[in-house]
Amino acid sequence: MKITDKKGILFDLDGVLADTARYHYLAWKRLAGELGMDFSEEDNENLKGVGRKESLDIIFELNRQKRAVPCFSDEEKQRLAEKKNAYYQEFITEITPGDVLPGIPEFLRDAREKGFLLAVASASRNAGNVLNRLELSGWFDYVADAREIKRVKPDPEVFLKCAEALGFMPSECIGIEDSQAGIEAIYRAGMLSVGIHVHVVSRKPDISFESTGELKLTRILEEMEEERG
Ligand code: BG6
Ligand code: MG
């Protein structure tokens, strides 16, 4: 029997289940380079969890602080976002189950054995494809379709959609994220947040782990118990 009122666990994909956050970074870096713009790993922290179009706007904004950046029309921005996606898709053709982050298969098995239902709450329109390539799809009771999500993280929409699809109240769910936007989204959804190496700007995760290798369900459950006193 579970010693918790939590019933569902909602996972971010990029940077939590798989080492794909770096492919998003490399694809944006390539595009930024072609546009004569800077884009560092630190800049990339602002893009984690954020949608494609919004990411492009952030890159422009960061560069505007250093140089003149032309005003792109919506059509041009759309074309640039598609170009980045083409670069990203080139990277993910190489993805194999070996890109699943350390500790994740064990965590999924443990969560299943403890009776949790599992969902993927990703902002990525490539999530289905990536999960198939990682051979992880079979673990999840529900995978949110980013195309149906109107408001991107830090809005809680994708997490609320997952809770609803699993048939649980938000307070019955745990969300796991590697991004600040994602932690904020979980907080706004009214769920318990678990952070993986989050670059904290404003909102701290309820429970933090340095890496997925250290992520343990028993520690999450114990910390919840301690919190309750
Ligand atoms: C998130 C990533 O999971 O998905 C972001 O953290 C990415 O970096 C976003 O921009 C949207 O992904 P995609 O694959 O639809 O461009
Ligand atoms: Mg992420």
Side-chain angles (χ1 to χ4, degrees):
M1 207 179 72
K2 276 181 290 187
I3 45 154
T4 169
D5 53 351
K6 304 290 183 224
K7 298 174 178 169
I9 307 183
L10 319 180
F11 297 80
D12 175 46
L13 168 61
D14 298 312
V16 170
L17 295 175
D19 198 9
T20 38
R22 74 196 169 94
Y23 295 137
H24 281 293
Y25 166 64
L26 291 173
W28 281 123
K29 184 149 181 81
R30 185 164 160 193
L31 184 79
E34 287 170 4
L35 295 170
M37 295 188 196
D38 293 337
F39 186 58
S40 65
E41 284 200 57
E42 199 186 333
D43 294 338
N44 187 54
E45 289 300 326
N46 298 290
L47 270 59
K48 284 187 178 171
V50 175
R52 210 178 291 167
K53 187 180 150 291
E54 293 76 12
S55 298
L56 191 58
D57 286 333
I58 294 173
I59 294 175
F60 291 163
E61 208 39 58
L62 289 170
N63 274 273
R64 247 176 224 127
Q65 294 164 13
K66 302 180 218 160
R67 58 175 59 79
V69 171
C71 266
F72 293 94
S73 66
D74 284 348
E75 291 72 32
E76 282 167 323
K77 284 195 208 170
Q78 174 73 18
R79 190 183 56 77
L80 291 171
E82 278 166 18
K83 203 168 181 194
K84 178 268 172 179
N85 192 45
Y87 295 153
Y88 179 68
Q89 287 181 336
E90 265 177 46
F91 286 119
I92 61 174
T93 52
E94 310 279 319
I95 286 182
T96 68
D99 288 280
V100 174
L101 281 164
I104 290 297
E106 295 79 3
F107 186 92
L108 293 172
R109 197 170 309 117
D110 192 21
R112 275 264 172 239
E113 281 170 9
K114 288 187 167 65
F116 286 90
L117 293 194
L118 312 178
V120 178
S122 171
S124 174
R125 290 166 183 239
N126 293 292
N129 181 9
V130 170
L131 286 170
N132 286 338
R133 288 182 183 277
L134 296 168
E135 298 178 12
L136 283 184
S137 307
W139 286 100
F140 298 99
D141 301 284
Y142 180 72
V143 177
D145 182 348
R147 275 163 286 236
E148 290 173 10
I149 303 298
K150 291 181 198 70
R151 294 175 302 274
V152 294
K153 300 170 189 177
D155 190 281
E157 184 178 353
V158 69
F159 286 99
L160 293 173
K161 178 107 200 244
C162 286
E164 191 187 353
L166 296 181
F168 299 144
M169 301 286 291
S171 59
E172 294 174 315
C173 296
I174 299 170
I176 309 186
E177 265 287 351
D178 69 321
S179 72
Q180 178 71 113
I183 293 297
E184 182 65 33
I186 296 169
Y187 171 80
R188 290 193 202 168
M191 301 174 182
L192 181 98
S193 63
V194 172
I196 307 291
H197 197 73
V198 176
H199 181 84
V200 176
V201 179
S202 51
R203 181 86 53 199
K204 267 177 74 180
D206 293 310
I207 302 175
S208 295
F209 293 88
E210 258 318 294
S211 69
T212 55
E214 288 163 35
L215 179 66
K216 296 280 179 298
L217 189 49
T218 42
R219 200 189 115 196
I220 296 173
L221 300 178
E222 278 165 17
E223 287 211 18
M224 280 168 49
E225 277 302 292
E226 277 169 27
E227 193 69 13
R228 212 171 288 179

